[in-house]
């Protein structure tokens, strides 16, 4: 019927969390029955107020942050104070279970006041002797003590509360930042966001390239029809468009291609912007990381040799000499603050400190940014608090304190212990940084998947391109063989090609009927580099049809005259077999236009030569004199006589020649 004490409320569930129904009857936690037990025992509260604890809890007045240190006007604070609040509540529970009235009276119901140990008591060991001496000044002592075997001769320890070790603390000197170092750092450690952005840009450009190749290959002279080269042409168009370079050498010509390109422009700008932003973020992050970093000439234990060492606890001297025997004696200061002030003032070069204490001091003003940890950690040590031995015997609360410690660190209040440890010893987690870290982890997996997809596409595209180039190499060998047969020095010299074709026509016309059949053409081609060409007859028939030659139903009846043969070989030489249209050519449209103009010019030149030869034959009296050689017909090779007379002038014609001129 009494009031529930405050210490018991710490162990009771929050309102609304009690189990209900069968679950409550099967597994009700024992702590929920404590009020009833206490009421029966008459210990659940007193009308006049709670009993005050008689425990004497001591703490070093000079403090040892972050374990315990003086809080201005509010006593003490630190990890051990927060820990003791929870352990004291558990200790009362343990004592209550024992039903030992002496211990219940000693522990009481309200936490004991923490008594400071005067600073005049010197070192940590001297404080132990002051608290645990014959006078029996204390029961529990907090001051961030190392669990040392020699101290166990005087006092008992709780179970270990934290693990740490020794480290070196030096004055902080910021690293100089230069552009080369910053850029090198960024290149060596690319941001996952930047990698994701560039991979997205690549895979979207590949998709765009395939779409453009499908819709443009038959209409766009700059997009080749073969899959490998054609997709590369479209990919080049997409990439220069997305990066806003826009060379102008390739552009879509169909409405569908232009609409797709507009969509790609927007998507490309987003991808390029995302990549630029991620890259800039990486540069800024590297800059901040470099700006917050420090450098020091002290990097290892051996660097302590010849340096001035300082600390604020006696164990530091032995710890320094354990890793560097030649180290000088450690100057012991009366407090942490004095030691760190001496380091900043240049009185010492290195502080030999505990890792936890060094991290706390170096991350808080006024030492933040002025001191930094250096070198590796050595000699791991465990922390514990002191339990005295009244009259040289074990303290009656020792087993109960040990069980309360176990409940705090491993049992009922384990979550509370983790929260307190994180509060005092863990670096606060920036939620934004945590989100970025999670995003980076997810992007790393996604980047791997995208990279695999791109690699697969690249392999397929590479195989297709290699096959295409293999086919081009075969066609190039065939074309070169044909050029040699036609005595051409360039595949675009149609004039010479037609002259060579006229010569080959006479050589290949085996039956002398002034016509070439299919067997004569294919047989001659196989002797001139086309011996490995498959379906050569079908290819010749197709090219003949594209050249304007009538194709009979029976291929055995196929025939072509000299002019048709010249057109056929000229086309094959210039464009190759199975050239669907000018879009398969590698040359731009300007070159095709020049070739056509040149071809037309040479045709007119041939016509002019033919007419001049006819005039010269007439002037020589060829109409009436059969001894004068007749000039060649159109398209035939001129005889020697008519090759060398191009420069004769009309004024050399005599009256005799004119007299025999036939005006018709």
């Amino acid at each position: 019927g009494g009031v529930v004490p405050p210490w018991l409320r710490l162990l009771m569930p929050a309102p609304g969390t009690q189990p209900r129904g069968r679950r409550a009857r099967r597994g009700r936690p024992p702590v929920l029955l404590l009020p009833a037990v206490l009421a029966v025992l008459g210990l659940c509260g007193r009308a006049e107020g709670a009993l005050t604890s008689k425990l004497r809890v001591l703490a070093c007045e000079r403090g040892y942050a972050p374990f315990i240190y003086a809080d201005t006007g509010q006593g003490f604070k630190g990890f051990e104070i927060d820990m003791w609040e929870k352990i004291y509540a558990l200790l009362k529970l343990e004592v209550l279970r024992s039903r030992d009235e002496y211990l219940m009276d000693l522990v009481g119901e309200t936490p004991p006041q923490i008594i400071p140990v005067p600073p005049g008591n010197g070192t940590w060991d001297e404080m132990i002797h002051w608290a645990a001496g014959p006078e029996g000044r204390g029961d529990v002592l907090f001051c961030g003590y190392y669990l040392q075997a020699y101290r166990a001769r005087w006092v008992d320890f709780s179970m270990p509360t934290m693990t740490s070790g020794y480290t070196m603390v030096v004055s902080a000197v910021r690293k100089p930042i230069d552009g080369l170092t910053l850029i090198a750092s960024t290149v060596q450690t690319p941001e996952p966001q930047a990698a994701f952005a560039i991979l997205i840009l690549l895979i979207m450009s590949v998709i765009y390239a395939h779409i453009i190749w499908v819709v443009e290959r038959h209409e766009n002279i700059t997009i080749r029809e073969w899959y490998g080269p054609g997709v590369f042409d479209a990919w080049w168009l997409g990439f220069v468009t997305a990066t806003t370079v826009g060379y102008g050498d390739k552009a879509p010509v169909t409405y569908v291609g232009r609409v797709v390109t507009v969509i790609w422009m927007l998507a490309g700008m987003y991808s390029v912007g995302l990549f630029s932003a991620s890259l800039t973020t990486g540069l800024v992050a590297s800059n901040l990381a470099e700006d917050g970093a420090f450098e020091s000439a002290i990097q290892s234990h051996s660097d302590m040799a010849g340096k001035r060492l300082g600390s604020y606890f006696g164990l530091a001297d032995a710890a320094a000499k354990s890793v560097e025997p030649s180290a000088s004696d450690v100057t012991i200061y009366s407090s942490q603050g004095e030691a760190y002030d001496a380091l900043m003032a240049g009185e010492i070069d290195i502080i030999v400190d505990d890792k936890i204490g060094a991290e706390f001091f170096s991350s808080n003003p006024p030492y933040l940014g002025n001191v930094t940890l250096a070198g590796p950690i050595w000699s791991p040590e465990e922390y514990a608090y002191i339990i005295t031995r009244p009259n040289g015997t074990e303290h009656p609360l020792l087993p109960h304190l040990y069980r309360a410690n176990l409940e705090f660190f491993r049992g009922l209040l384990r979550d509370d212990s983790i929260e307190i440890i994180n509060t005092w010893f863990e670096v606060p987690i920036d939620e934004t940084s945590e989100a970025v870290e999670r995003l980076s982890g997810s992007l790393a997996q996604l980047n791997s998947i995208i990279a695999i997809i791109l690699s697969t596409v690249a392999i397929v595209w590479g195989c297709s391109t290699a096959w295409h180039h293999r086919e081009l190499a075969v066609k190039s060998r065939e074309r070169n063989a044909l050029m040699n047969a036609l005595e051409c020095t360039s595949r675009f010299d149609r004039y010479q090609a037609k002259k060579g074709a006229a010569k080959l026509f006479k050589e290949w016309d085996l039956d002398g009927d002034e016509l070439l059949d299919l067997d004569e053409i294919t047989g001659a081609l196989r002797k001139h580099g086309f011996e490995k060409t498959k379906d050569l007859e079908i290819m010749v028939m197709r090219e003949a049809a594209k050249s304007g030659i009538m194709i009979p139903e029976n291929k055995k009846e196929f025939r072509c005259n000299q002019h048709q043969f010249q057109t056929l070989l000229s086309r094959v030489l210039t464009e190759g077999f199975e050239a669907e249209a000018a879009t398969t050519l590698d040359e731009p449209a300007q070159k095709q236009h020049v070739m056509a103009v040149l071809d037309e010019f040479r045709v007119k030149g041939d016509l002019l030569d033919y007419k001049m030869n006819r005039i010269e034959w007439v002037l020589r009296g060829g109409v009436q004199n059969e001894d004068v050689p007749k000039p060649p017909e159109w398209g035939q090779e001129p005889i020697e006589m008519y090759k060398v007379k191009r420069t004769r002038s009309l004024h050399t014609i005599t009256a005799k020649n004119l007299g025999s001129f036939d005006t018709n």
Side-chain angles (χ1 to χ4, degrees), residues 337-569:
E338 289 187 12
Y340 278 81
D341 290 340
L343 177 64
M344 292 178 60
E347 298 175 9
I348 55 177
D349 302 314
I350 302 173
I351 294 178
V352 180
D353 198 358
D354 172 74
K355 173 182 175 289
I356 292 178
E359 288 178 342
F360 182 81
F361 264 69
S362 62
S363 59
N364 287 279
Y367 309 108
L368 176 63
N370 295 312
V371 298
T372 184
L373 279 65
I377 311 282
W378 78 93
S379 299
E381 299 283 356
E382 293 181 322
Y383 282 98
Y385 58 89
I386 301 291
I387 304 162
T388 62
R389 295 173 181 169
N391 301 319
T393 60
E394 182 183 281
H395 200 289
L397 285 176
L398 180 61
H400 303 288
L401 278 170
Y402 193 83
R403 285 192 291 271
N405 272 269
L406 284 175
E407 284 290 344
F408 177 67
F409 286 105
R410 298 289 185 269
L412 189 63
L413 299 185
R414 178 183 177 86
D415 292 341
D416 290 6
S417 69
I418 294 174
E419 182 180 354
I420 292 173
I421 290 172
N422 290 338
T423 300
W424 290 102
F425 301 113
E426 295 293 331
V427 178
I429 299 176
D430 184 1
E431 294 182 359
T432 303
S433 300
E434 186 179 6
V436 171
E437 185 177 352
R438 291 199 305 268
L439 177 62
S440 299
S442 302
L443 287 179
Q445 298 179 355
L446 186 58
N447 289 346
S448 301
I449 296 174
I450 296 176
I452 293 173
I453 295 174
L454 284 175
S455 300
T456 304
V457 174
I459 291 173
V460 173
W461 174 82
C463 293
S464 175
T465 304
W467 178 262
H468 172 67
H469 282 288
R470 177 180 174 274
E471 294 293 320
L472 289 181
V474 173
K475 292 181 180 299
S476 178
R477 288 195 298 270
E478 294 173 351
R479 184 181 291 115
N480 291 336
L482 188 58
M483 286 176 59
N484 293 331
L486 295 174
E487 299 179 358
C488 291
T489 57
S490 171
R491 57 178 282 200
F492 304 110
D493 192 345
R494 301 188 189 188
Y495 176 77
Q496 185 63 37
K498 289 183 177 181
K499 293 176 65 176
K503 181 179 179 181
L504 289 180
F505 183 85
K506 294 180 178 180
E507 295 179 2
W508 295 2
D509 185 15
L510 302 178
D511 53 10
D513 59 353
E514 298 294 330
L515 293 172
L516 290 179
D517 57 30
L518 186 59
D519 291 337
E520 290 175 330
I521 295 175
T522 55
L525 286 175
R526 294 188 188 282
K527 295 179 181 179
H528 289 82
F530 291 82
E531 63 276 1
K532 296 182 179 180
T533 304
K534 297 180 180 179
D535 301 324
L536 183 59
E537 293 182 354
I538 297 176
M539 294 168 61
V540 170
M541 297 282 283
R542 288 177 180 175
E543 295 302 321
K546 295 169 188 175
S547 301
I549 303 174
M550 296 296 296
I551 306 299
E553 294 183 2
N554 186 359
K555 64 179 182 179
K556 296 295 184 180
E557 298 177 359
F558 173 81
R559 299 288 188 276
C560 67
N561 58 30
Q562 178 176 322
H563 179 70
Q564 293 172 332
F565 181 71
Q566 288 176 312
T567 304
L568 172 62
L569 286 194

